[in-house]
Amino acid sequence: QVQLVESGGGSVQAGESLRLSCAASGYAYSFYCIGWFRQAPGKEREGVAAISRDGSTSYANSVKGRFSISQDKAKNTVYLQMNSLKAEDTAMYYCARRVCSLYNSLSPREYRYWGQGTQVTVSS
């Protein structure tokens, strides 16, 4: 059974940090790539960061320089380190998987399997 389980969300003050984790199980991890997305109330789901099989990364402009995505293949886990958090980062954060290709993608439409999400709330 395929599972993507997010953890690490919480409530923090602006300027603080959080690290989200996405634990993947039930499938051959190496054939799929993971992306992080977020959705705030009343807004569309948007791509935040993605990582390829070889570790190359892509970020939304809004988080470049503040967020960092990484993976531990031995643990089938992808992390999202979020520093210098802002109130506008408040959202439900999801990880999702897609079949790996030659490029990274931050488009939610290219991801077929999603976790349940973890809430991040940043107070200013």
Side-chain angles (χ1 to χ4, degrees):
Q1 180 183 357
V2 176
Q3 280 194 311
L4 296 173
V5 180
E6 302 95 336
S7 62
S11 296
V12 297
Q13 296 291 316
E16 295 184 341
S17 299
L18 282 173
R19 188 177 80 155
L20 306 184
S21 299
C22 173
S25 62
Y27 67 93
Y29 179 82
S30 61
F31 289 103
Y32 295 89
C33 290
I34 298 290
W36 280 100
F37 300 82
R38 66 186 181 187
Q39 188 166 20
K43 294 188 176 181
E44 292 187 356
R45 190 168 296 188
E46 64 171 347
V48 174
I51 189 165
S52 70
R53 193 154 35 195
D54 65 359
S56 63
T57 57
S58 298
Y59 298 94
N61 288 335
S62 58
V63 306
K64 278 182 182 176
R66 300 189 298 122
F67 290 13
S68 177
I69 188 171
S70 62
Q71 62 185 344
D72 184 336
K73 293 181 180 180
K75 295 182 178 180
N76 290 357
T77 299
V78 175
Y79 304 97
L80 184 67
Q81 178 67 44
M82 306 186 296
N83 298 328
S84 303
L85 282 162
K86 305 176 181 179
E88 50 263 44
D89 294 319
T90 295
M92 184 71 79
Y93 283 71
Y94 302 89
C95 63
R97 75 166 200 186
R98 62 186 281 266
V99 176
C100 293
S101 66
L102 295 177
Y103 60 94
N104 275 326
S105 174
L106 295 178
S107 172
R109 292 174 296 180
E110 296 198 26
Y111 290 77
R112 292 291 179 262
Y113 199 89
W114 295 77
Q116 295 301 305
T118 185
Q119 177 68 37
V120 172
T121 302
V122 184
S123 302
S124 58

